[in-house]
Amino acid sequence: MAETTKVTMAQALNTALRDALREDDRVLVFGEDVGPLGGVFRITDGLTRDFGEERCFDTPLAEAGIVGLAVGMAMGGFRPVVEMQFDAFAYPAFEQIASHVAKLRNRTRGRLTLPMVIRVPYAGGIGGVEHHCDSSEAYYAHTPGLKVVTPATAEDAYWLLRDSIADPDPVVFLEPKKLYWSREDTDLGRRGALPFGRAAVRREGRDATVVAYGPSVPVALAAAEAAAAEGIELEVVDLRTIVPFDDETVTASVRRTGRCLVVQEAQGFAGVGAEIAARVQERCFHSLAAPVLRVAGFDIPYPPPKLEHAHLPGVDRVLDAVDRLQFGDEPDTRHLLKGAVA
Amino acid sequence: MSVKSLRQTVQGLLPSLTPVRFVAEDGTPVAKPPVGYSEPSEEALREAYRRMVLGRRFDTQATALTKQGRLAVYPSSRGQEACQIGAVLALRPDDWLFPTYRDSVALVTRGIDPVEVLTLLRGDWHCGYDPAATRVAPQCTPLATQVLHATGMAEAQRRKGEDGVAMALIGDGATSEGDFHEALNFAAVLRAPVVFFVQNNKYAISVPLARQTAAPALAYKGIGYGVRSEQVDGNDLVAVLAVLTDAVAHARAGHGPVLVEAHTYRMDAHTNADDATRYRDAEEVERWGAADPLSRLETHLRARGVLTDADTAAAREEAEALAADLRTRMNADTTADPMELFDHVYADPTPQLLEQRAQLAAELAETALTQED
Ligand SMILES: Cc1ncc(C[n+]2csc(CCOP(=O)(O)OP(=O)(O)O)c2C)c(N)n1
Ligand SMILES: [Mg+2]
């Protein structure tokens, strides 16, 4: 048996980039400060030193330029892996992403394809000031033609990034910043059982299904731990890829448990969690003992560092929602409470 | 850097003070031929003339087909043929072209089947030709975005050690978009072999150039990025071909990108759906009509004895045949297959797309049944 070692998500990502650069000459890494500095989060640490300027390089500071350049280079036979420095600073590239990255295969009936990866450090929980903590997954997930990936473990960070780089289609790879430094025991050389596109059941439980992805997975797991102490067994499903979405795993779990919560860090309105809740109701209605609930951030611009704790869904907010899953047969009357406008 | 070499660097980047021109509006050669550019061969000019006749006829036929309801919309480039043809003839077949919606005539000149060029506007699919085989990117509508793709493609060629060049076509209005500036900057920093060719036809839909820029000419946008720049009379095919051939050679030789601005004019409205009388007067259009690039080249080549009556008649005959063929094929009704909608979203359709595909198939089967009843 291969040995496991302690690895952070940041190291796993760095190793994935190294292995991809080593195995495929077409792979290039570029973006802002990804060269000698190694990126502001050090995900590209040492790549320029070890693979040379030709394979990992700094570009001028312009996000549309970086993504647009990558489009042309992918058309020209390369496999660019570009870094957006932060979630909110990817917005200048949005036109390139929505109008070209996502659509080129479709526009040309598959004659031109764009195997490229746009890496985006995203979401909060690190005390970042404004414009550094957006959960922007819904914008990308709402754009047909993109695959949207977000790992929650170091092992997934490695394999999902390798798979994304090898994928024939463009991938927006969302890296939960707050998990960059989380450590786990793993052997990156050994591929896990799950293929790209399948969700993982991170914890089994019979009473309710908690669907989470990226930064919310550890929150869901911590809540499951706490709930277990109260005698409620939560099953935690980690999506891994938002697109493609694994209806099969989610549906099978909810049909088994009869209850479902969706946890996301992003603001709730029109978010990925809303889509999941709708899909679950459509597919599992007759198995459901309670409405599908969303646990999300509030519908506000991302708060300043001292207030992000109030915004981010933590264990308590998840457990509150678990309480509202009608285990005691009382209907959920929370919408009738003071302040409700319905 | 010494002041002297600094001055040389700056002057090497700046465009000439007035647009480069070989042939005056009346078809006579200019008194002082431009320095630094070699005139295209007579062979090349005769071929360019033939292409311009074909391109003009294609354009007027496409406009007519639009009036007959065969095209959803058509952005004419009548009056811009010297630019469209000069651009394509300056490139090798293995160079890449990144055109806009305005550049259908360039695509026909590149040898793409005119019906495939019009697939987009006919509404059958977003791009009718094979971009990989023709090395012509799909016609681009989000303004200036294609200029970055051309830069990326050029950079890809350079890194692969190939000597291919990419040329991006762009309008005057689109030079105000950020992507244009990012592309100039990236290309200069990377020394990518790309040529940026601006067709300044004086309007962005209704908005005149004066509302777009305060620069003395769009060609001056190059200096700020360290991009060598030039401006040319866009209705003088001889000059356009000379300047673009030089620009392409410069890029191919590894000396970096070049920006070329062509001064031309859009004779028709922005598209058939636009009413140009709301923003420009008839005298202006008439004035530019006198600068027509096709008659200018014809007069010029006839005077030089390079073009005979037989040549012009042959070109016109070929053009009529092209138009007749286009009419026949465009007047045939096409059917688009709704099932194809799901085929090219991803390499392999997601389970959700397969479900939706089955749903649409069922809907269509249902409709077919009700129609039978
Ligand atoms: C990003 C973007 N904004 C707006 C439009 C709508 N639009 C289409 S053509 C056009 C005018 C462009 O003018 P110019 O660049 O001068 O090119 P021309 O049409 O004159 O060839 C506008 C505003 C667009 N296609 N893309
Ligand atoms: Mg214009």
Side-chain angles (χ1 to χ4, degrees):
Chain A
M1 231 189 96
E3 279 183 29
T4 60
T5 42
K6 286 251 184 247
V7 188
T8 65
M9 183 181 279
Q11 287 167 334
L13 292 166
N14 182 270
T15 308
L17 291 172
R18 282 173 183 279
D19 290 351
L21 282 164
R22 191 175 302 114
E23 285 172 28
D24 187 346
D25 285 344
R26 299 170 302 173
V27 174
L28 299 174
V29 174
F30 54 91
E32 296 160 8
D33 301 295
V34 300
L37 179 70
V40 294
F41 291 104
R42 305 292 183 267
I43 305 302
T44 58
D45 189 31
L47 298 186
T48 300
R49 182 192 64 219
D50 298 340
F51 294 90
E53 265 279 329
E54 282 295 297
R55 306 292 306 283
C56 175
F57 56 94
D58 289 326
T59 63
L61 215 171
E63 292 75 13
I66 292 167
V67 173
L69 188 82
V71 168
M73 295 193 77
M75 284 170 71
F78 285 96
R79 289 184 167 248
V81 182
V82 301
E83 177 172 304
M84 300 283 102
Q85 201 157 67
F86 284 88
D87 32 58
F89 306 138
Y91 300 146
F94 196 72
E95 182 187 26
Q96 286 288 345
I97 295 174
S99 294
H100 293 293
V101 175
K103 290 181 181 167
L104 195 68
R105 172 188 290 280
N106 189 256
R107 292 169 69 217
T108 64
R109 294 180 145 131
R111 283 152 166 166
L112 292 181
T113 59
L114 293 177
M116 57 184 275
V117 177
I118 302 170
R119 293 182 37 247
V120 188
Y122 89 122
I126 59 160
V129 295
E130 59 170 352
H131 310 300
H132 292 75
C133 297
D134 281 12
S135 287
S136 40
E137 67 270 20
Y139 306 131
Y140 304 113
H142 194 61
T143 307
L146 300 177
K147 291 181 177 171
V148 183
V149 177
T150 179
T153 69
E155 182 181 317
D156 264 359
Y158 179 85
W159 285 108
L160 289 174
L161 184 53
R162 292 301 307 273
D163 287 348
S164 298
I165 295 171
D167 202 275
D169 288 308
V171 176
V172 175
F173 194 90
L174 301 169
E175 302 170 359
K177 288 191 277 288
K178 76 167 189 198
L179 301 184
Y180 271 151
W181 305 285
S182 64
R183 277 175 190 281
E184 77 196 43
D185 257 327
T186 182
D187 169 19
L188 293 181
R190 207 191 52 219
R191 177 183 265 281
L194 287 170
F196 188 91
R198 293 315 293 247
V201 177
R202 294 280 175 220
R203 178 188 175 109
E204 292 185 359
R206 59 172 191 276
D207 295 326
T209 301
V210 182
V211 182
Y213 54 88
S216 296
V217 173
V219 177
L221 287 169
E225 198 67 42
E230 311 265 305
I232 295 179
E233 293 297 335
L234 299 178
E235 179 146 305
V236 177
V237 176
D238 168 6
L239 291 180
R240 303 170 75 242
T241 64
I242 298 174
V243 181
F245 183 78
D246 184 1
D247 275 312
E248 208 177 305
T249 300
V250 172
T251 304
S253 172
V254 177
R255 286 195 182 140
R256 216 164 34 238
T257 62
R259 288 177 170 83
C260 181
L261 278 186
V262 186
V263 187
Q264 68 175 37
E265 226 184 86
Q267 58 279 20
F269 191 81
V272 167
E275 173 64 25
I276 298 169
R279 302 185 80 81
V280 169
Q281 323 251 29
E282 285 168 359
R283 285 164 179 74
C284 309
F285 185 74
H286 294 291
S287 312
L288 286 171
V292 180
L293 297 181
R294 282 171 295 159
V295 180
F298 300 117
D299 295 324
I300 55 173
Y302 199 85
K306 284 185 181 162
L307 292 174
E308 71 175 348
H309 65 91
H311 171 67
L312 294 173
V315 171
D316 287 345
R317 199 177 297 162
V318 176
L319 291 177
D320 279 352
V322 171
D323 283 346
R324 291 191 286 125
L325 284 173
Q326 304 184 15
F327 289 105
D329 278 345
E330 311 93 37
D332 180 10
T333 54
R334 217 168 89 134
H335 61 286
L336 301 177
L337 294 181
K338 62 178 181 313
V341 284
Chain B
M1 213 189 265
S2 72
V3 170
K4 187 167 164 237
S5 67
L6 195 58
R7 184 176 297 125
Q8 264 173 3
T9 305
V10 169
Q11 277 165 356
L13 295 175
L14 283 173
S16 62
L17 203 56
T18 56
V20 173
R21 176 188 264 194
F22 279 84
V23 181
E25 272 180 25
D26 62 4
T28 58
V30 292
K32 268 207 290 183
V35 283
Y37 295 103
S38 33
E39 203 179 312
S41 70
E42 290 184 350
E43 191 54 38
L45 294 178
R46 277 161 56 101
E47 175 62 6
Y49 169 78
R50 177 181 153 255
R51 299 294 195 152
M52 280 176 76
V53 174
L54 294 176
R56 170 72 54 91
R57 189 65 189 90
F58 165 84
D59 191 85
T60 52
Q61 185 60 62
T63 296
L65 284 164
T66 311
K67 287 188 182 129
Q68 292 153 18
R70 287 289 174 188
L71 298 179
V73 64
Y74 182 68
S76 165
S77 61
R78 196 166 60 87
Q80 298 179 219
E81 291 90 348
C83 298
Q84 306 255 318
I85 278 109
V88 172
L89 296 187
L91 293 173
R92 287 193 326 218
D94 62 331
D95 291 330
W96 271 83
L97 184 68
F98 288 76
T100 75
Y101 53 88
R102 176 82 55 213
D103 304 310
S104 297
V105 169
L107 272 58
V108 172
T109 307
R110 182 79 171 188
I112 299 176
D113 179 349
V115 171
E116 290 186 2
V117 171
L118 294 177
T119 299
L120 164 74
L121 305 173
R122 195 185 205 182
D124 289 342
W125 200 264
H126 312 298
C127 176
Y129 50 92
D130 183 346
T134 57
R135 298 202 164 210
V136 177
Q139 284 179 280
C140 188
T141 315
L143 296 173
T145 53
Q146 79 282 5
V147 186
L148 281 163
H149 308 160
T151 304
M153 177 60 80
E155 177 62 7
Q157 312 259 69
R158 187 185 73 74
R159 281 169 178 266
K160 288 190 288 189
E162 295 167 6
D163 72 345
V165 165
M167 184 186 287
L169 305 181
I170 180 170
D172 49 296
T175 65
S176 299
E177 293 276 4
D179 283 20
F180 171 69
H181 297 264
E182 295 189 18
L184 285 176
N185 190 42
F186 273 61
V189 170
L190 296 165
R191 281 177 90 80
V194 54
V195 174
F196 306 106
F197 184 40
V198 180
Q199 292 174 71
N200 174 1
N201 63 10
K202 307 297 178 285
Y203 289 91
I205 308 186
S206 66
V207 180
L209 187 67
R211 295 229 162 243
Q212 221 57 255
T213 183
L218 295 171
Y220 288 93
K221 307 240 168 191
I223 178 99
Y225 301 104
V227 173
R228 195 172 99 123
S229 306
E230 186 54 286
Q231 52 178 331
V232 61
D233 180 339
N235 285 17
D236 175 5
L237 181 279
V238 183
V240 172
L241 192 52
V243 167
L244 286 180
T245 301
D246 176 75
V248 168
H250 179 92
R252 199 185 307 289
H255 301 316
V258 184
L259 167 67
V260 177
E261 174 191 14
H263 297 271
T264 183
Y265 195 77
R266 193 194 74 207
M267 292 302 291
D268 285 340
H270 173 66
T271 68
N272 55 293
D274 173 41
D275 175 8
T277 63
R278 293 178 73 102
Y279 53 84
R280 65 184 192 186
D281 53 38
E283 293 89 84
E284 181 185 292
V285 181
E286 213 171 290
R287 228 171 30 249
W288 278 95
D292 181 59
L294 179 52
S295 53
R296 192 194 303 193
L297 185 65
E298 183 172 332
T299 312
H300 177 69
L301 293 181
R302 274 177 183 278
R304 280 169 62 174
V306 173
L307 204 64
T308 63
D309 284 349
D311 292 329
T312 56
R316 238 171 289 148
E317 198 179 316
E318 193 184 350
E320 283 315 313
L322 181 149
D325 176 62
L326 192 57
R327 282 195 301 273
T328 312
R329 291 198 292 148
M330 291 299 291
N331 281 324
D333 289 321
T334 54
T335 48
D337 175 13
M339 289 302 117
E340 196 185 352
L341 290 173
F342 304 95
D343 288 351
H344 317 292
V345 184
Y346 300 99
D348 298 310
T350 59
Q352 290 78 15
L353 283 173
L354 291 176
E355 274 174 29
Q356 290 163 25
R357 191 178 203 280
Q359 178 196 339
L360 180 60
E363 282 175 18
L364 294 172
E366 185 109 341
T367 315
L369 271 184
T370 18
Q371 277 166 354
E372 267 172 36
D373 289 346

